[in-house]
Amino acid sequence: MEYILKGGVVIDPKAGLEKELDVHVKDGRIAALGENLVAKGIETFDLQGKLVAPGFIDMHVHLREPGGEAHETIATGCRAAAAGGFATVAAMPNTNPCVDNEGVVELIKSKAQKAGLSRVLPIGTISKGQLGQEMAEIGMLYEAGVVAISDDGKPVVSSEVMRRALEYSKMYACPVISHCEDPSLVAGGVMNEGYWSTVLGLKGIPGEAEEIMVIRDILLARLTGGRLHLAHISTKGSVELLRFARTQGIAVTAEATPHHILLTDEEVKGYDTSTKVNPPLRAAEDVEAVREAVMEGLIPCIVTDHAPWSQEEKEQEYAKAPNGISGLETAVPVCWNTLVVKGGMSRLDFVARFTTGPAKALGVPYGSLEVGGTADITVIDPNMKKRVSTDTFYSKGKNSPLNGRVFQGWPVMTVVDGKIVMQDGKIREV
Amino acid sequence: MGLCAKDLLDMGQLSPEEIELILQTGKEMKTIIKRDIKKVPTLRGKTMVTLFYEPSTRTRTSFELAGKYMSADVVNISTSASSVVKGESIKDTGMTLQMMGMDLVVIRHNMAGAPHLLAKNLKARVINGGDGFHEHPTQALLDMMTIKDKLGGFAGLKVAIIGDILHSRVARSNLSGLIKMGAQVWICGPPTLIPPGLEKLGAKVTYSMEEALRGAQVVMMLRIQLERQKAGMFPTLREYSRIFGLNSQNLKLADKDCLVMHPGPINRGLELSGEVADCSQSLINEQVTNGVSVRMALLYLMLGQKGE
């Protein structure tokens, strides 16, 4: 397959490139970048006014398969990813059975290949059965193809187990992704602790439940020299602790979600369970601090924490409903609108949070438009304004608190390995 | 004039005028309860259900009698003897009741927001009969009716609400209603049982019983749940009672004719000494009667006026 993407502004943070250029794709690779590439007999796409970026990477999604097929499958999750502009997603291992052995890794890889859309990078568990007690077979998982290990969904409560995991995984290029939460302090909480939890009579979760684990893991990273990545940072305190790590020279990467840089805990008013997420939507000052940390690059990755749920699961009492937001199909416009249109972030920095940031955190060879490299491309129409409609989601999970809101800056093309998997918001089936 | 919204979910939704209307109507309803033949035909042909996911004596009975005194057909469902134990969702249970022709559902639930979930899915009207730690609006209305009956109004009153505020839906509803009507509300309890943000709601917060009681015209004591001690919120019941219990001694700090209220059921000798519970200033029994009156008023305003 061969074609030319013509007239768009190429934005490649790795090369520091921001220029109107044509992109020649051939046999799954970037064949050439240049002005006015001659396109004799080759299919051309006119991308005037669009931004042509390296394929976006979402390093934190829940595809639910195996075990949770009522909520999402790898096939439907990959459609949602492609529709949302993501060429690559990293799938969290809290499935049933969980990804603590090679067999499940193989299953995920083969299902993803069959789906043939966005690339799926499996993540393995830190501990056997995600119980937080004994290390999983990290070496064998790595050899089977996991790009990171994480007990996401649950914290590793034991500092000793976390220490050993950070140490042991050093022999692989395999970061440990920490879900920071002190369960004894969460103590059954279902939303952020503060004014709104008081008004709504819902049990609150203080920001410190996250921050205590953030600082613990930063200190364990210092102790071990392991590769630590902090999942879904949601509080001002955590941002301050990240800054502390940076000034101390402790190597830590971190991520934030679109919902944590946009929505406050006031959204819970009315008990709409689509606002129930872990970590919870926080107070305005937290949202602002996390947003600024993303803009500044202290938090180098944006992830969706895509957590689809069937309608029955979410149509319950607030305290009973499961945590999670279906985020793959809204992340790019939400962030473009919030960070670039309203926040004044540069286009290069914006693209970096979805490409070089996660590629570096995971140590994977994607996220650039180098000539000769894999042709993963995300095209954005920075001017397109559209209303979010969960009815049109490719994901099985319609659980989004953003339904009905208008955002500017939507993905209009997703290319994976040279294959156009999404065009104008529609999945192109193989 | 009736109430604006389809449902009664919290005190925040009521305007001061609506609160006045409910209290005034409650006063009229009270005359019916005092009659020998306690029955008016106002709600004949209307059907209501009390759907209680939590045990309750006074609220459920009070709603049932309120409906019956006005000739509504009343069905009581306690979830321990219903399809809920078979795992039916709250939405499906509500829909089933609606399809049988229910005009109004009173719901009591241990989780905050459950009435909102029901209200969103039903055409039938929904009254929140207490949801988790959120609100118990009919309790606040009956408390306010009791206060208004004795003191004539709310403006400038010092009302002290004392005890486990964190887990109290009664406190939240009263706080909201009383502040809206111009009272000055003091909140008092151990710091472990005081949630954040109360000042933003307009309350004054203190850990000192003396400060809370001094000059108060109304004292509302809250029930202390025995399991809170087990959850580590305070060391012992004995210590709680010594520091935050109301007795004839510290009651002297309050206004001479200070009203003593309690939503019940009381822990005699714990948050309230037996002596105070039974003293002439105590309105605990009055509250129960007003509970029926105010609920009659609500049923009338929500069901009784349309199409008459």
Side-chain angles (χ1 to χ4, degrees):
Chain A
M1 193 173 8
E2 188 177 2
Y3 53 87
I4 289 178
L5 305 178
K6 228 174 168 35
V9 176
V10 168
I11 297 182
D12 184 2
K14 197 172 180 192
L17 194 64
E18 187 175 7
K19 198 176 175 196
E20 195 178 310
L21 288 173
D22 298 344
V23 183
H24 182 186
V25 177
K26 192 179 176 188
D27 301 331
R29 306 258 143 201
I30 307 281
L33 287 180
E35 291 176 52
N36 304 316
L37 292 181
V38 184
K40 213 174 185 182
I42 305 174
E43 191 180 2
T44 335
F45 296 89
D46 177 18
L47 298 182
Q48 205 76 45
K50 313 285 195 294
L51 309 177
V52 181
F56 280 14
I57 301 165
D58 182 351
M59 64 178 289
H60 190 145
V61 302
H62 298 271
L63 298 181
R64 302 287 185 228
E65 192 175 358
E69 291 83 354
H71 312 298
E72 193 84 290
T73 63
I74 289 169
T76 58
C78 284
R79 289 161 73 93
F86 292 99
T88 300
V89 295
M92 281 297 176
N94 59 338
T95 47
N96 185 16
C98 65
V99 192
D100 67 352
N101 64 80
E102 298 161 282
V104 189
V105 179
E106 292 303 334
L107 173 91
I108 291 168
K109 288 200 303 195
S110 93
K111 291 259 182 181
Q113 193 164 16
K114 208 181 283 177
L117 297 163
S118 300
R119 181 183 299 107
V120 177
L121 305 174
I123 296 171
T125 64
I126 295 171
S127 65
K128 288 192 187 106
Q130 275 204 309
L131 297 173
Q133 287 159 2
E134 294 172 49
M135 258 191 273
E137 292 166 328
I138 294 169
M140 295 211 279
L141 286 169
Y142 184 75
E143 280 164 17
V146 306
V147 294
I149 51 171
S150 178
D151 275 4
D152 185 62
K154 285 185 202 168
V156 176
V157 176
S158 158
S159 305
E160 165 71 4
V161 173
M162 192 63 176
R163 175 211 169 143
R164 297 306 175 198
L166 278 163
E167 252 167 11
Y168 189 82
S169 59
K170 276 166 66 179
M171 62 179 148
Y172 306 104
C174 184
V176 179
I177 303 176
S178 175
H179 169 110
C180 293
E181 182 177 14
D182 176 349
S184 70
L185 201 49
V186 171
V190 298
M191 71 170 292
N192 183 48
E193 180 172 313
Y195 173 76
W196 285 106
S197 65
T198 295
V199 171
L200 295 169
L202 290 169
K203 178 125 181 38
I205 304 172
E208 283 75 2
E210 172 176 311
E211 292 150 12
I212 284 169
M213 289 304 230
V214 165
I215 191 61
R216 182 199 75 171
D217 289 344
I218 286 172
L219 295 176
L220 290 176
R222 181 174 72 181
L223 172 67
T224 60
R227 266 293 300 119
L228 175 67
H229 177 83
L230 300 171
H232 40 55
I233 290 302
S234 75
T235 75
K236 187 179 176 189
S238 295
V239 169
E240 282 161 4
L241 294 170
L242 274 174
R243 204 175 299 285
F244 161 80
R246 189 163 73 175
T247 56
Q248 296 288 305
I250 306 166
V252 179
T253 52
E255 59 182 42
T257 71
H259 44 273
H260 287 117
I261 62 170
L262 177 67
L263 304 175
T264 68
D265 53 356
E266 187 176 352
E267 300 285 335
V268 182
K269 197 168 61 176
Y271 301 96
D272 176 1
T273 56
S274 73
T275 62
K276 189 177 173 190
V277 64
N278 189 20
L281 300 178
R282 299 290 189 184
E285 58 169 5
D286 294 308
V287 173
E288 195 183 329
V290 174
R291 187 169 56 223
E292 274 167 17
V294 169
M295 305 248 292
E296 168 197 341
L298 184 63
I299 295 176
C301 312
I302 296 174
V303 303
T304 63
D305 194 3
H306 179 71
W309 290 107
S310 67
Q311 198 181 341
E312 300 86 82
E313 286 294 326
K314 278 289 191 179
E315 263 185 356
Q316 297 194 76
E317 295 85 339
Y318 200 88
K320 238 197 221 173
N323 287 309
I325 290 174
S326 178
L328 276 169
E329 289 165 84
T330 52
V332 171
V334 166
C335 293
W336 182 268
N337 208 82
T338 308
L339 298 172
V340 181
V341 178
K342 296 204 171 131
M345 189 185 199
S346 79
R347 298 188 295 188
L348 266 173
D349 282 345
F350 174 82
V351 171
R353 301 297 172 267
F354 287 99
T355 55
T356 45
K360 201 171 158 207
L362 287 175
V364 293
Y366 308 114
S368 87
L369 289 174
E370 269 171 310
V371 174
T374 308
D376 284 3
I377 301 166
T378 296
V379 180
I380 294 170
D381 181 344
N383 299 312
M384 179 190 279
K385 281 187 187 165
K386 212 169 77 177
R387 192 175 295 279
V388 174
S389 167
T390 53
D391 290 343
T392 64
F393 275 9
Y394 282 97
S395 169
K396 283 192 181 187
K398 315 297 182 194
N399 47 303
S400 170
L402 302 168
N403 191 31
R405 296 196 200 192
V406 176
F407 294 100
Q408 180 186 338
W410 290 74
V412 290
M413 185 185 273
T414 311
V415 177
V416 182
D417 276 329
K419 199 170 80 184
I420 298 171
V421 295
M422 181 276 277
Q423 196 182 350
D424 298 328
K426 302 273 179 291
I427 297 301
R428 300 224 314 196
E429 298 290 357
V430 220
Chain B
M1 184 188 158
L3 303 179
C4 280
K6 171 175 88 78
D7 312 295
L8 177 62
L9 302 178
D10 54 55
M11 291 300 288
Q13 73 175 67
L14 296 174
S15 66
E17 294 73 28
E18 285 177 312
I19 292 175
E20 284 292 359
L21 175 69
I22 295 165
L23 303 186
Q24 186 54 39
T25 312
K27 201 171 166 186
E28 288 157 26
M29 293 297 170
K30 200 168 176 179
T31 61
I32 297 171
I33 305 173
K34 295 199 168 151
R35 291 181 198 167
D36 185 28
I37 309 289
K38 305 177 197 52
K39 196 95 163 174
V40 293
T42 320
L43 297 184
R44 203 167 51 193
K46 298 286 182 186
T47 318
M48 61 177 272
V49 57
T50 62
L51 177 61
F52 275 50
Y53 288 78
E54 258 187 2
S56 154
T57 310
R58 67 200 70 216
T59 304
R60 200 198 55 70
T61 312
S62 175
F63 268 111
E64 180 177 355
L65 286 174
K68 285 181 169 170
Y69 290 161
M70 293 200 292
S71 305
D73 290 303
V74 185
V75 178
N76 298 307
I77 299 177
S78 72
T79 52
S80 54
S82 74
S83 325
V84 173
V85 291
K86 300 180 189 169
E88 187 171 55
S89 77
I90 187 169
K91 182 185 160 191
D92 289 339
T93 303
M95 195 52 79
T96 303
L97 296 171
Q98 175 165 294
M99 295 320 284
M100 290 177 181
M102 291 297 167
D103 298 300
L104 184 142
V105 182
V106 179
I107 179 177
R108 155 74 58 98
H109 201 288
N110 60 341
M111 292 181 201
H116 302 66
L117 178 62
L118 196 62
K120 201 159 54 180
N121 286 293
L122 294 191
K123 286 200 192 74
R125 290 166 178 272
V126 174
I127 294 181
N128 180 358
D131 63 328
F133 311 146
H134 177 228
E135 285 224 19
H136 191 352
T138 60
Q139 176 72 42
L141 288 166
L142 77 88
D143 290 339
M144 291 172 76
M145 181 175 163
T146 309
I147 294 170
K148 192 170 181 209
D149 201 28
K150 295 291 169 193
L151 303 177
F154 306 96
L157 283 187
K158 175 171 178 179
V159 181
I161 305 180
I162 294 162
D164 179 0
I165 311 297
L166 180 63
H167 301 101
S168 176
R169 52 194 175 214
V170 175
R172 280 177 183 70
S173 285
N174 264 305
L175 183 61
S176 168
L178 286 166
I179 285 177
K180 191 173 290 187
M181 301 309 281
Q184 190 189 65
V185 180
W186 283 74
I187 294 292
C188 178
T192 44
L193 294 175
I194 306 258
L198 291 174
E199 290 88 350
K200 201 171 156 189
L201 287 167
K204 295 186 187 304
V205 177
T206 175
Y207 308 135
S208 150
M209 273 295 265
E210 192 183 325
E211 193 178 14
L213 290 173
R214 192 172 297 286
Q217 280 102 10
V218 181
V219 180
M220 286 187 183
M221 299 305 294
L222 300 174
R223 179 181 168 79
I224 185 76
Q225 304 281 356
L226 309 182
E227 67 259 28
R228 303 296 172 220
Q229 186 271 325
K230 298 223 163 54
M233 295 303 201
F234 51 89
T236 59
L237 289 169
R238 185 171 73 155
E239 176 160 316
Y240 180 87
S241 179
R242 174 130 7 133
I243 301 173
F244 293 102
L246 186 69
N247 51 51
S248 44
Q249 206 54 41
N250 57 15
L251 182 57
K252 286 182 188 148
L253 293 164
D255 206 69
K256 186 165 64 68
D257 303 314
C258 175
L259 311 179
V260 175
M261 300 172 73
H262 191 298
I266 60 174
N267 292 306
R268 230 167 237 277
L270 222 170
E271 69 264 4
L272 202 58
S273 73
E275 204 184 349
V276 172
D278 301 328
C279 75
S280 61
Q281 286 165 263
S282 163
L283 293 172
I284 297 171
N285 294 327
E286 187 84 17
Q287 285 172 274
V288 175
T289 308
N290 289 340
V292 180
S293 317
V294 100
R295 287 170 181 125
M296 287 171 78
L298 276 170
L299 293 175
Y300 169 70
L301 293 168
M302 291 175 76
L303 286 180
Q305 295 188 309
K306 217 167 158 189
E308 275 190 338

